[in-house]
Amino acid sequence: MYLHLGASVVIPLGDVLGIFDLDNTTSSRVTRDFLARAQQAGQVVSVGEDLPKSFLLCRNQAGRVTVYLSQLSSATLLKRVESGRFETI
């Protein structure tokens, strides 16, 4: 099963470790530092051109960590997961 993040980006649902709201989480210095380190390490993928509203922390089967910045809200992404409105390929 796959989760559509917007702008033609689809990821395996099993890779998702967490879905986070950017407004709420970036008020923490720890989260800002984490995102800055991930950006420096080349682990951040921006989904789309619009201002991001959420980020997803993912780990693939090989153990590689990726942070996806999505213009979709965390609530929208969570509803897609909970309602089964995800892509199957």
Side-chain angles (χ1 to χ4, degrees), residues 22-87:
L22 268 174
D23 286 338
N24 292 331
T25 57
T26 53
S27 62
S28 166
R29 182 185 54 80
V30 173
T31 305
R32 288 191 310 268
D33 290 346
F34 168 76
L35 291 173
R37 284 193 315 272
Q39 180 72 36
Q40 291 173 350
Q43 297 173 319
V44 176
V45 175
S46 184
V47 177
E49 303 272 329
D50 294 335
L51 186 65
K53 295 180 183 175
S54 64
F55 73 94
L56 291 88
L57 179 60
C58 301
R59 179 180 294 151
N60 67 15
Q61 291 180 347
R64 176 165 164 71
V65 173
T66 305
V67 176
Y68 291 93
L69 301 176
S70 176
Q71 72 273 10
L72 299 176
S73 71
S74 57
T76 298
L77 293 169
L78 184 59
K79 285 179 188 176
R80 287 183 179 186
V81 171
E82 289 176 340
S83 69
R85 287 180 30 208
F86 43 79
E87 303 290 326

